[in-house]
Each structure stands twice: as C-alpha cells, then as structure tokens.
Amino acid sequence: MNAYTHLEARFKRMNLVRDAIAMLEWDAAAMMPDGGSDARADQLAALKLVVHEQATSPALAEFLDAAGEGQGLDAWQRSNLREMKRSFVHATALPADLVEAQSRAVSTCEMRWRTARKENDFKGLLPDLQRVLDLAREEAQIKAQKFGCSLYDALLDAYEPGGKSAAIDAIFADLATFLPGFIDAALERQARKPAAIPFDGPFPAATQTKLAAELMAAVGFDFAHGRLDTSHHPFCGGVPDDVRLTTRWDEADFAKGLMGVMHETGHAMYERGLPLKWRHQPVGFARGMSVHESQSLLVEMQAARSDAFLAYLAPKAAAAFGKSGPAWTVENFARVYRRVQRGLIRVDADEATYPAHVILRYRLERAMIEGRLALRDLPGAWNDGMRELVGTVPPDDRDGCLQDIHWPGGAWGYFPTYTLGAMTAAQLFDAAKRADPNIVPSIGKGDFAPLMAWLRKNVHEQGSHLDTDALLVKATGKTLDAEIFKAHLKARYLDA
Amino acid sequence: MNAYTHLEARFKRMNLVRDAIAMLEWDAAAMMPDGGSDARADQLAALKLVVHEQATSPALAEFLDAAGEGQGLDAWQRSNLREMKRSFVHATALPADLVEAQSRAVSTCEMRWRTARKENDFKGLLPDLQRVLDLAREEAQIKAQKFGCSLYDALLDAYEPGGKSAAIDAIFADLATFLPGFIDAALERQARKPAAIPFDGPFPAATQTKLAAELMAAVGFDFAHGRLDTSHHPFCGGVPDDVRLTTRWDEADFAKGLMGVMHETGHAMYERGLPLKWRHQPVGFARGMSVHESQSLLVEMQAARSDAFLAYLAPKAAAAFGKSGPAWTVENFARVYRRVQRGLIRVDADEATYPAHVILRYRLERAMIEGRLALRDLPGAWNDGMRELVGTVPPDDRDGCLQDIHWPGGAWGYFPTYTLGAMTAAQLFDAAKRADPNIVPSIGKGDFAPLMAWLRKNVHEQGSHLDTDALLVKATGKTLDAEIFKAHLKARYLDA
C-alpha cells in the first residue's frame, strides 16, 4: 500500500462511522421515543469522538504529505486527495478547546433560543448568542489566517467549498436591485388575476403519504434504497444507498407538505446519484450546500411548479383526495403554488421573495462576523433590512431576527447557499431543457427520467471532482449568471 | 484519574459504540429497505472494528493490571473490575486470524444453511458446517486452556458467564428422566378434555398492535423509552433507555404473536430495569443468557399463561377483535395457550416439550465439540434423540437437525440457556409469589406492578454484580432447583 491507498482506506473507515452517525440522527428525528434522547446524545458524542480522532490523526498528516507525487494518480484520485486535504485542514484548524467551547455554547444557546423565540425575548438570548458569535469570530480569525482568506469566507468555506463573498456580493447586489421592483410588479399582476382558492380539506395523512410516494417514484426515487417517514422538521438524511426522507403532514392543507416532499426528493436524487465508485471517499460526496440546494429547488421550484407538472398533478391530486370543483383546476394549482407575498418568515417565503430574506441575512451575518454590526443592534438592522428588501417590517423579534435557528446553532456563513442554490437550479434547468427538449413534455406525463438522466450525468455523478464553478461551467457553459434566474422569475411571475 | 477510573471511562466509550451498533442492527431488521443492506454491513463492520480495537487495546491491559489494590473500590466497583477483566479475556483470547476466519466461515455457512434447509440437504451443508465446527473447537481449545476449564464450558462461558456443564448435566439428567413420563401423562389428560377451539380470524394487524401495546403497558413497558415494530424474526433490541421490540403479525392467528410480544416485553423489562447508576459499565449489564431468558419466560410462560392472566386476557381480546362464542372463553384460552404436543420444531414447542428439544441439542453439541460425535453422524443421532426425548422422529433433516440457525451461525454452547432460563423463571416466580401474595391477583387485573417491583429489586437492579448462582440464591434462597420447575409443570398440566 502506498500513501494514497492508505488514505483511501482511512477515509473509508472514517466516513462509514459518519454514515452510522447519519443513520442515528435520522432515527432520533423520525423514530426515537423522547426518553431515548440522552442515551442517543451519548452515542452520537462517542461516535463523533471516534471520527474526530480519525480525522485529525497524525498518521493522516504523514500520509497526506507523502501522497501525490510519483504515485501515478489519475484525475479523480488527485481530486480525491485535494478533498482529503480540505477535510484535514478543516478538522485540524481549530484547537480542541475552541471546538469543545463551541459545542457547549451552541447547545446552551439553541435551548435558550427555543424559549426566547416563543417569548419574543431578544435581550434574554443576547448573552448566549453573543458567546456563540464570539466563538464563531474566533473560528473565522483562525481559519482566515490559515486559509489566507477573509473572515466571512473562512466560515463560508465549510458549507460552500471555495465560495467567495466577493462573487456573492456582485450577484446579490444585482438581485437586491432587481427584486423590490420585481416583487411590486408581480404583486400588481397577481392582484389583477383571480385569487387562489384554498383547497377544501381535511386531507388524511395516509392519502397524502400515498400520493407523495407516487410522486417520489415519478421523480425516480427508489424505495428499495430509501424511505419516507415523518419528523418535526422535514429533511433528507441517511446515506446514498439508504436515503431517509422525512416530511410533516398537515391534514388541513396538503399543498405545502407535498412540495416539501418534492424538495427533499431532489436532495435524495442527488445523494443516490453520487458516483458509486467513489462511495465513502471525499471526492464522491456532494459538492457543497449550494449545489445540494440546487437539486432540491430544481425539482421543487423549477420542475414541480412548472405548467407541465401542475397539469399532471392537479387531476392526480383531485383523484387521490376524491375532490373536484374550481379549487382543483390546473389554473388554481398554479395560483396556489406561485403565490407571491411580502411575508415575515423565510421558511414560508415564496420563490420570488425568498432571495430578499437571504440577502438580508447574508449582509447582517457578514457585518457581525466582521465586527461592523454589534449583536445588540441586530433587531433594528433586521427591521431596516426587511423594509428595504422585502417591503414589510416585523411587529416583533419573534417573527423578525429570532426566527431562524442558524445563528444560535452556530451556522454562520450558511445562508447565502439557499439563494445560490435557487439560482443554480434555474441555470441547470435552463441548460437541461435546451440539451433535451423532451424533458418538459416528460415531466408533464409524470416522468422525470429525461431530466434525471441529464442531472445524473452533469451533476450527480460528478461528486466533488470539480469545484462548484467548474461544475457549473461544464454543465451549462458559464459560471453562475443572475440573468437566468431573473429571466425565470420574470417569465413565471410577470409574463405568463 | 486512577487506573480504575480510566477503565470506567474507556468501557463507557466502548459500550456507547456497542449501543450504536445495537440501534443500527434494530434498524436493519425493522426499518431498512433491502437495498441498504450492503451499506449497513459496511457501517457495522467499521463500528465493530472500533469496538475491537478499544476492547483489546494494550492500554486497557495495563490499567486492568494496575486497578484494584489500594484504590478503595467498593463492592460494585470490584464486581465491575471483575466483569471488565472477563470482557478483556474474552476479547483477547483468540488470535485475530481465527476471529476473522470464524466471521467468514459463519457468514458463508449461514447463507448456505438457508438453502440447505429449504432443500433438505444436510450433505450439501456438511463442508461449510464442518468448517464452522472445526473453528469452534479451535476456539474451545484455546479458551479452555486460558480459562482452565472444559472445552464445552469454554464456549458456554460466552453466553452464560461462569456456567458449568457439570451442573447442567445433573439438572438435565433429572429432567430427561422426568419428561417422557410427564409428557405421556399430560397428553393423556389433555385427550380426555375438550379440544382447543381455533380462534376465528382474520385479525387485522392494526388491532393486534393496539392490543399488544395495551398488554405491554400492563406489564410496565414505558413507550417513552421504547417502541414496538415488526421484523421477520421477533427480538428485543436497542438499549436500556430506548428498547426496541419487534414482532410479526399473523392475521390468521393472533395467539402466537401476542405471547411473542409478552416474551419480548419480559426481556425489555429486564433491560429497562438494569441499574441506571452503572449504565455503560460491564457490571450494569444483564447477567447472562439464562437470566435474560428467565425474564422473558417469566412474563410469557409463568405470568401470562397463568389462570389469573388468561381470565384478564380472554374478555379483553374478545372485545378488541369484536368476537364472542365458545372459542373466546377463559377455558378455551387456557386450552390454546397450554396445548402439549410432540412436535418436531423447537421454536414452535410448548412449555412442556421445549426442554426435551434443548436437552437433545445440548447433548449433541457437547459431543461434537468434545469430538465424540462426528458431524456426518449428526442426522442419525438427532433422530435417535428425538425418539427418546420427545417421542417423535422427523421425516427429514429439514425438520430435524437442519432446523436451527445456531450451529451454522457459530453459536455453540448457547442452547442450554433456554431451559436454564425456563427453570430460573419458575423458581423466581415461585419466590416472588411467596414474597408478595398480591402478585397473582394483580396480574389477574392486568397489573404487573407488584411482580415487576419484586423482579426489579431482586433481578434487574442487580445487573452483573453477582454471578448467576449467587443472584438466584439471594433472590430465592437456593441455587437452581429442578423440583420447582417440575412442580410447576405438574401443577399446570396434570393437576389443574
């Protein structure tokens, strides 16, 4: 065995333990009785300690130094080595006591946040959130120095490998200019058309489950390699060969849950389509959060809210629930699924206003990490930003700066990936449709196979071989281009 | 930290990884889609390698040598140290290549066995089973030398710590003398009484699940710390704070599945009742397979098939399924649940003939391990033993010596614990009833709390502090006494 093959063996071993963690985290959300939570926390901590020891082992450093030159590595092996080094650099960048302090601070702050949000108590959360922010800034300083990048980019890199705020700035500035006028125009046009008619429930969870499973199968989800269950927060968990999706059923309204399942199925198809040959190796993993989100939003926003798919869905849903009438027409499905609203809550936002929520968060978290915004000034800055970007101001912090778990949870630098993902989705779908004119007609028949064939070849099977920019260039001919996303929004919300 | 506290920390860490393995094994049986099996096998192998490295670490040997003297250990800590040493001795007794060879041979043989059983092909299984037997004999020789015991006891010790075949011989000889005449008499008496009337199904799985959950709650199962699901082979899995039971529903017959749930609930109550203070430490574990089986059989055989409980169960089951008529009387429940039969299959055997099946397997496996019986002569020896002990001879090996997975699966030395467990159950229930006269009347009202209070104090909370004999002496005043089990059988099957 040479240094490189040693590395492959060690990463496989470590990533199998990570896979075990992923399965246990799914179980904790979907299956575990409440009384099992302490035991599960102990199990996960023990496994994470194993991974940490493996990820930071001095032997790994030696093999990483020795591997590469003169070992006749092919292009994928070289990419794998690059990703191994990235993994090692991230794993070893921080002193153990900082990691430990972060873990404790986040755990305390998340718990405090649940109460603080309920009680609209930003001041009560402030000390714990300040601690989490201080530690994130400490992390950013250490990593920025080691990686030779800006403070914000040092944090962003954990979610968006190679991501640069300079590029995001340009894209988001363009969007921030475009959105307010666009939202005005979309709302104006919407007001001139008939209002969406609410669906007349109730919708039994069992029927929703059956319909959702049929739609998942239509997208290409293989139930021999995955499951659909319920959890408080929907997510796509498990491992590529055993994907565990979760959702939440609202018996009064099937519409949101159904699209939630389509969203998670997009994530699942990415995981399932990752290159089998590179299973358990870093180069075989999903490229990053923006590409991952692009796959869920491509299925949910681009494909499943298209005219073609809604024409397939509306009669199918009506039949499943045994319903008919004006709410169950294709036209009404389009009105329900494309309703634009100046809302306060990001997770409830529509496709058109969502980027405005994200841009706000990006600006604020970057200012806080760079020390330009004090945490105590966050509520005011939040409300100013909402006025400017979304055109509405929250009446309190509960529905304002307290709404997201990301900052209390220590996920600073994550937010931009949502909108980068939405834009990437538009660009990939645009390229896919041009490459195969059969994609949209097939979606109209509930057959996602042509779309998935294109995605599998151009995205899924690429794993982490290329960086995000190169992946997009290879698949679409150019780097991320805001014009395509804007054209999509205009076509759907202004022209149709 | 002194040597002993180091050991506690290391065993906790290792046993948390074992707990993770237990959860993933439950998932594989109860939740996992078929296509996940290869990925799961890899995950489990990776975690087992972690445990193996932790269990055999040279540092552990040093701490074990250093711990004990002069560290002011209390009685439970001394017991814990004793169990740590037992764990280490078992983990390090065998050379790595033997363990590896066993793992491969068992894996091949189990797969071959599934076909061989179906095709009644003992000769076809012979080479693979011979390999497993040869390796088991090699294990026995190495361990016998290290532990200073007989070949059979060296294997038995892994399932029944401290178990001795000399003691089992005496008990089983007594039973083997008693059983043939007893079975004759029980069958004779049964023939003079009305035949059991089969229940008139179908019995929807959902109704069976609901009824089973109610009975589990009656026994004391806490659904905040466990679940009931389905799997191909019912078992009690998970961890003490999150017990995962499984069963299998037969919609044509609820009777067997229901008692299966009671059986697994007995196992579950033992796990749940293990001393919280010693969670993750060897002294906090269940004492061994015979005590574990005693807890399942105490609930299933002693309590749930008692007159008192059947009088509670019959009307409850009739109401659950919306049934009435002669099959649904308490008398008929007793006939169904206490039917004696000279059957061929151990897992289908009733309480009266089960020990005969076990004694046969004990004699045969011991003879094979000691080299007194060649594997090729097993079918003949099996049939001779069945004639003598059960009073019936299988028409083929499928329902004869090919029926159990234990030997192909490498579990040599396991079988006697089933009957030791049945006898222990009788002895514990006898002592419990004498200690608290309220136990049986309460069971008659579907309230197992008084029984569980006694078991918790006398068995569950004892963990592995005492050895099996001492545990039984402390709880019942004497070591295992065949007379109590025989008296139970006579009272139930001859006198009632």
Side-chain angles (χ1 to χ4, degrees):
Chain A
M1 274 171 87
N2 63 29
Y4 175 78
T5 52
H6 268 293
L7 287 168
E8 279 205 350
R10 282 173 173 263
F11 272 86
K12 177 175 182 182
R13 222 190 126 174
M14 175 172 76
N15 289 325
L16 282 167
V17 181
R18 285 201 169 114
D19 283 358
I21 291 171
M23 297 312 309
L24 293 175
E25 285 176 338
W26 167 83
D27 180 272
M31 293 290 151
M32 189 182 76
D34 286 349
S37 58
D38 288 350
R40 180 59 46 84
D42 286 345
Q43 292 155 21
L44 289 171
L47 295 188
K48 284 173 183 174
L49 184 57
V50 169
V51 168
H52 174 74
E53 288 176 356
Q54 293 176 340
T56 59
S57 129
L60 211 55
E62 284 172 35
F63 288 130
L64 284 169
D65 280 344
E69 294 300 310
Q71 300 189 330
L73 302 187
D74 66 23
W76 276 76
Q77 289 170 324
R78 286 197 304 273
S79 295
N80 197 27
L81 186 56
R82 178 196 70 218
E83 296 300 319
M84 287 169 170
K85 285 179 178 169
R86 172 198 302 288
S87 158
F88 186 74
V89 166
H90 271 282
T92 55
L94 304 179
D97 58 351
L98 175 58
V99 175
E100 166 76 21
Q102 281 183 321
S103 167
R104 266 183 289 113
V106 158
S107 173
T108 307
C109 189
E110 278 192 1
M111 198 133 58
R112 185 78 195 84
W113 168 75
R114 286 174 214 286
T115 322
R117 190 187 176 194
K118 217 176 292 169
E119 296 169 359
N120 188 37
D121 182 14
F122 181 78
K123 281 225 175 72
L125 182 65
L126 197 53
D128 288 325
L129 188 55
Q130 186 68 56
R131 173 87 180 128
V132 171
L133 172 57
D134 290 346
L135 292 167
R137 295 185 68 197
E138 201 177 328
E139 174 180 350
Q141 269 145 19
I142 295 172
K143 284 190 170 175
Q145 194 157 16
K146 292 208 178 175
F147 303 173
C149 67
S150 74
L151 292 174
Y152 187 81
D153 290 358
L155 298 179
L156 175 68
D157 194 75
Y159 308 107
E160 188 60 29
K164 296 289 167 218
S165 45
I168 297 175
D169 283 345
I171 291 165
F172 280 10
D174 184 358
L175 273 185
T177 309
F178 166 79
L179 283 173
F182 166 73
I183 294 168
D184 286 345
L187 286 170
E188 215 169 279
R189 175 176 164 281
Q190 187 171 276
R192 290 196 310 265
K193 300 214 168 188
I197 306 163
F199 296 114
D200 40 325
F203 306 101
T207 313
Q208 292 192 51
T209 307
K210 192 166 165 287
L211 178 60
E214 283 170 24
L215 297 180
M216 289 169 71
V219 176
F221 188 86
D222 177 359
F223 282 92
H225 284 282
R227 294 175 54 99
L228 172 66
D229 295 279
T230 60
S231 70
H232 191 65
H233 296 286
F235 68 103
C236 170
V239 302
D241 294 309
D242 187 357
V243 187
R244 306 287 176 99
L245 294 198
T246 72
T247 187
R248 196 167 43 162
W249 306 118
D250 176 353
E251 297 208 327
D253 174 19
F254 74 91
K256 199 176 164 190
L258 207 60
M259 278 298 159
V261 170
M262 295 303 274
H263 182 95
E264 301 306 334
T265 303
H267 283 307
M269 294 306 292
Y270 187 14
E271 290 291 314
R272 282 291 302 135
L274 290 169
L276 184 60
K277 192 186 160 195
W278 294 98
R279 206 64 100 224
H280 309 305
Q281 295 301 319
V283 75
F285 291 174
R287 176 61 286 185
M289 295 317 299
S290 76
V291 178
H292 227 309
E293 193 69 7
S294 82
Q295 296 309 291
S296 55
L297 291 175
L298 202 157
V299 171
E300 182 200 350
M301 294 294 178
Q302 300 290 327
R305 292 179 200 241
S306 67
D307 290 336
F309 187 73
L310 294 180
Y312 168 79
L313 176 63
K316 195 174 172 69
F321 296 117
K323 302 277 186 179
S324 59
W328 298 85
T329 61
V330 182
E331 292 72 24
N332 192 58
F333 269 67
R335 281 176 210 127
V336 168
Y337 274 130
R338 298 180 193 159
R339 185 148 179 260
V340 178
Q341 227 178 340
R342 297 191 203 274
L344 298 173
I345 306 298
R346 175 185 56 85
V347 296
D348 294 334
D350 55 84
E351 182 184 23
T353 56
Y354 203 109
H357 291 273
V358 166
I359 292 169
L360 170 65
R361 286 154 179 76
Y362 167 70
R363 288 178 179 173
L364 296 174
E365 70 178 2
R366 198 167 149 201
M368 287 188 279
I369 290 297
E370 292 173 358
R372 293 183 285 108
L373 172 67
L375 193 57
R376 66 173 177 280
D377 298 329
L378 175 63
W382 183 282
N383 294 354
D384 291 347
M386 282 295 290
R387 187 177 301 112
E388 176 200 336
L389 287 159
V390 186
T392 181
V393 177
D396 54 28
D397 295 333
R398 187 199 338 254
D399 289 340
C401 66
L402 285 175
Q403 70 184 266
D404 294 311
I405 197 176
H406 298 61
W407 294 332
W412 301 77
Y414 187 107
F415 277 121
T417 67
Y418 290 117
T419 289
L420 297 175
M423 298 172 69
T424 304
Q427 187 161 330
L428 288 170
F429 195 52
D430 176 68
K433 285 188 292 188
R434 280 186 283 110
D436 181 357
N438 192 32
I439 283 177
V440 172
S442 295
I443 288 172
K445 294 176 215 141
D447 175 12
F448 282 63
L451 172 61
M452 284 302 149
W454 191 90
L455 287 175
R456 194 154 280 207
K457 174 166 169 280
N458 288 283
V459 180
H460 306 176
E461 283 178 358
Q462 299 298 318
S464 286
H465 179 38
L466 306 171
D467 66 30
T468 306
D469 276 354
L471 177 78
L472 207 52
V473 169
K474 197 176 166 196
T476 71
K478 48 181 145 183
T479 56
L480 194 59
D481 179 357
E483 294 309 318
I484 301 175
F485 182 58
K486 283 153 65 180
H488 158 72
L489 291 179
K490 285 190 278 189
R492 182 171 283 177
Y493 296 94
L494 301 185
D495 307 337
Chain B
M1 274 172 85
N2 64 29
Y4 175 78
T5 52
H6 269 293
L7 286 169
E8 279 204 350
R10 283 173 172 262
F11 272 87
K12 177 174 181 182
R13 222 191 127 173
M14 174 172 77
N15 289 324
L16 282 167
V17 181
R18 284 201 169 114
D19 284 357
I21 291 172
M23 298 311 309
L24 292 177
E25 285 176 337
W26 167 83
D27 179 90
M31 292 293 152
M32 189 182 75
D34 286 350
S37 59
D38 288 351
R40 182 59 46 84
D42 286 345
Q43 292 155 19
L44 289 170
L47 295 188
K48 284 174 184 173
L49 183 57
V50 169
V51 169
H52 174 76
E53 288 175 356
Q54 292 176 340
T56 60
S57 126
L60 211 57
E62 283 171 37
F63 288 129
L64 284 169
D65 279 345
E69 293 301 311
Q71 301 190 328
L73 301 186
D74 67 22
W76 275 77
Q77 290 171 322
R78 287 195 304 273
S79 295
N80 198 25
L81 186 56
R82 179 196 69 217
E83 296 300 319
M84 288 169 170
K85 286 180 177 167
R86 173 199 302 288
S87 159
F88 186 74
V89 166
H90 271 282
T92 54
L94 304 180
D97 58 351
L98 175 58
V99 175
E100 166 75 23
Q102 282 183 320
S103 167
R104 267 183 288 113
V106 159
S107 173
T108 306
C109 191
E110 278 193 0
M111 198 136 56
R112 184 78 195 87
W113 168 76
R114 287 175 213 283
T115 322
R117 192 188 175 194
K118 217 176 291 169
E119 295 169 0
N120 188 38
D121 180 15
F122 181 77
K123 281 223 174 73
L125 183 65
L126 197 53
D128 287 326
L129 188 54
Q130 185 69 54
R131 173 85 180 130
V132 172
L133 173 56
D134 289 346
L135 293 168
R137 295 186 68 198
E138 203 177 325
E139 173 180 351
Q141 268 145 17
I142 295 171
K143 285 190 169 174
Q145 196 158 15
K146 293 208 178 173
F147 303 171
C149 67
S150 75
L151 293 174
Y152 187 83
D153 290 358
L155 298 180
L156 175 66
D157 195 74
Y159 308 108
E160 188 60 27
K164 296 289 168 217
S165 45
I168 297 174
D169 283 346
I171 290 165
F172 280 10
D174 184 356
L175 272 188
T177 309
F178 166 77
L179 283 174
F182 165 73
I183 294 170
D184 285 345
L187 285 169
E188 215 169 279
R189 173 175 165 281
Q190 185 171 278
R192 290 197 310 267
K193 301 216 166 184
I197 306 165
F199 296 114
D200 42 326
F203 305 101
T207 314
Q208 293 192 52
T209 307
K210 192 167 166 287
L211 178 60
E214 283 170 24
L215 297 179
M216 288 169 70
V219 176
F221 187 86
D222 177 359
F223 282 92
H225 284 281
R227 295 176 51 101
L228 172 65
D229 295 279
T230 60
S231 71
H232 191 64
H233 296 286
F235 67 104
C236 170
V239 302
D241 294 308
D242 185 359
V243 188
R244 305 287 174 102
L245 293 197
T246 73
T247 187
R248 196 166 43 163
W249 305 117
D250 176 354
E251 297 208 325
D253 175 21
F254 75 92
K256 200 177 163 190
L258 207 60
M259 278 300 161
V261 171
M262 295 301 274
H263 182 96
E264 301 306 334
T265 303
H267 283 307
M269 295 305 292
Y270 187 13
E271 290 291 315
R272 281 292 302 136
L274 290 169
L276 184 60
K277 193 185 159 194
W278 294 98
R279 206 64 100 222
H280 308 304
Q281 295 301 319
V283 75
F285 291 173
R287 177 61 285 185
M289 295 317 300
S290 76
V291 178
H292 227 309
E293 193 69 9
S294 82
Q295 297 308 291
S296 56
L297 291 174
L298 201 157
V299 170
E300 182 199 350
M301 294 294 178
Q302 299 290 327
R305 293 181 200 239
S306 68
D307 289 338
F309 187 73
L310 293 180
Y312 168 79
L313 175 62
K316 192 173 175 67
F321 296 115
K323 302 278 185 177
S324 60
W328 299 86
T329 61
V330 183
E331 293 71 26
N332 192 58
F333 268 68
R335 279 176 210 127
V336 167
Y337 274 129
R338 299 180 192 159
R339 184 148 179 259
V340 178
Q341 228 179 339
R342 296 191 204 276
L344 298 173
I345 306 298
R346 175 185 58 84
V347 295
D348 295 334
D350 55 83
E351 181 185 27
T353 57
Y354 203 110
H357 290 273
V358 167
I359 293 170
L360 169 65
R361 284 155 181 75
Y362 167 70
R363 287 178 180 174
L364 295 174
E365 70 177 4
R366 196 166 153 202
M368 287 188 280
I369 290 297
E370 292 174 356
R372 292 182 284 106
L373 173 66
L375 193 56
R376 65 174 179 278
D377 297 330
L378 175 64
W382 182 283
N383 293 354
D384 291 348
M386 282 295 290
R387 188 178 298 110
E388 178 201 334
L389 286 159
V390 185
T392 182
V393 177
D396 54 30
D397 295 333
R398 182 192 349 248
D399 289 341
C401 66
L402 285 176
Q403 71 183 262
D404 293 311
I405 198 178
H406 297 62
W407 295 333
W412 302 78
Y414 187 108
F415 277 121
T417 66
Y418 289 117
T419 289
L420 297 174
M423 299 172 70
T424 303
Q427 187 160 330
L428 289 169
F429 196 53
D430 176 69
K433 285 187 293 189
R434 279 185 284 109
D436 181 357
N438 192 32
I439 283 177
V440 172
S442 293
I443 288 173
K445 293 175 218 145
D447 174 12
F448 283 63
L451 172 61
M452 284 302 148
W454 190 90
L455 287 175
R456 194 153 278 208
K457 174 166 172 278
N458 288 282
V459 180
H460 306 174
E461 283 178 358
Q462 298 298 317
S464 286
H465 179 39
L466 306 171
D467 67 29
T468 306
D469 275 355
L471 177 79
L472 207 53
V473 169
K474 196 174 165 196
T476 72
K478 49 181 147 182
T479 57
L480 195 59
D481 179 357
E483 293 309 318
I484 300 174
F485 181 58
K486 284 153 66 179
H488 159 71
L489 290 179
K490 284 192 279 191
R492 182 172 283 179
Y493 295 95
L494 301 185
D495 306 339

